Every structure is written in structure tokens, then in C-alpha cells.
Amino acid sequence: EIVMTQSPATLSVSPGERATLSCRASQSVSSNLAWYQQKPGQAPRLLIYGASTRATGIPARFSGSGSGTEFTLTISSLQSEDFAVYYCQQYNNWPPAPFFGQGTKLEIK
Amino acid sequence: EVQLVQSGAEVKKPGESLKISCKGSGYSFTSYWIGWVRQMPGKGLEWMGIIYPGDSDTRYSPSFQGQVTISADKSISTAYLQWSSLKASDTAMYYCVRLGDSSGYLVFGDYWGQGTLVTVSS
């Protein structure tokens, strides 16, 4: 089982600043890594897949990087609507199962 | 516009059966895998399994194998998640998700339903 670990659990950042979220896999997942955003009371939304490809309609301020076991989601200039929980998910080993990280809550400083 | 519209919230008793649905529109329903994701209250996300509506090929995550049944009716562009005997621990939000890759091996979701809240309580 591949374990995904996200850090930090909570990140406090001021609007307009840059946010950097990390995701680590317990073994290599190549570039098979996705990032999702979930706001309270809403379904998750795909932001990034293939570690660095933005999904349809995702603003350019969101970028993903990394491969193997270390990944980063960067939001270049935080907007008010970006404060949410962010999950990474590896999809390199299906079967048995693709696993999500535990999430990083991005909150307003 | 791609849309996945799920059935409404359910309140059930332990031991009861349940089938929830997810209707796809705005794309070729038989050409994309559909998955189900569980989110227990205040918790993270878990893939339960996926189905290819074109031929009903179905794959389950080990944790959910034997616990739920995933099915689809391509004639009405609808996927289903069902339980034969609910437990209190099945209380959760359930999302249907269209997979962004057609192979069925790169399991990430590009479009999500709004979620169906299932509450199991005596």
C-alpha cells in the first residue's frame, strides 16, 4: 500500500501571498499524482493531474510539480476563493487502490 | 457541459438495503469510467471502486470488495452504488466521479457529482 503524506496539515497564508503545499509518497508513483480542492459543503474539484497538468478551467496561478515521491502544489497569489482543503492522490498502483493524502487546510492568515 | 447528478440524501436503519444513483449527461456515458468515492464525516476521501458503463467491467478497492455493489444502466446513463445491509459505519457522503483517463488504470476524477449523504442510524 502506498501511503500519501501531506504537509503541513494546516497552512495560514495572507491573500496575495504564495502558498506551497507538499505531498510525499511512501514509494515512487512516477508522475501519477493529482491534486484536488474541496470547499466546505462542496464536492472536490480536480486541479492538477499528471503531477503538473492543469485541469480544464483551472487558473494559471495553480501549478504542480514533482515526480517519484515528492510533489508540490503552488498557488502563486492567493485569492479569497482559494481557501479550502487540498488533497493529493496517487493513481500509480490501481489495482489495488489509488490513495488520497489526508489533506492540507489552507486558511486565511 | 459534463454533469453528474446524484440522487438525494437518505436516512436508513442498520440492516436495511439502499441503492443510490448518479446520472451522467453532456458526454458519451459509455466511453468513460465512473467511480465512487466515500467521505466519512469530517474525514478524507477514499476510492471505493469503478465501473465502465460500456461493458459493466467493474473493479473494487480491497477495502470495499464484498461490502458494496457498483452497477450501471447505460440505457439511461446512470451508475449505481448499493448496499444489501447497511451499518452505522456506512454513514458518509458518497460522490460519483468521472475518471479523467479512459484506460481504467489511471484513476483520477475530472468531474464530480454533488454527493449523496447517507445516514444510517437506529
Side-chain angles (χ1 to χ4, degrees), chain B residues 60 67-71 80-83:
Chain B
Y60 295 92
Q67 307 304 308
V68 297
T69 301
I70 294 171
S71 61
Y80 302 96
L81 176 66
Q82 69 181 86
W83 295 260

Side-chain angles (χ1 to χ4, degrees), chain A residues 38-94:
Chain A
Q38 187 177 32
K39 297 179 182 179
Q42 295 186 20
R45 175 175 70 147
L46 178 67
L47 299 174
I48 301 285
Y49 64 94
S52 61
T53 302
R54 274 191 304 276
T56 302
I58 301 304
R61 65 180 182 273
F62 291 91
S63 63
S65 63
S67 66
T69 62
E70 300 283 343
F71 300 89
T72 300
L73 174 69
T74 301
I75 311 170
S76 60
S77 178
L78 279 165
Q79 308 296 303
S80 58
E81 62 266 29
D82 299 334
F83 293 96
V85 178
Y86 292 82
Y87 294 96
C88 64
Q89 181 225 316
Q90 69 83 14
Y91 50 93
N92 192 59
N93 75 329
W94 171 278

Side-chain angles (χ1 to χ4, degrees), chain B residues 92-107:
Chain B
M93 182 72 79
Y94 293 89
Y95 295 101
C96 67
V97 189
R98 192 187 82 163
L99 268 59
D101 180 82
S102 61
S103 72
Y105 289 100
L106 301 180
V107 180

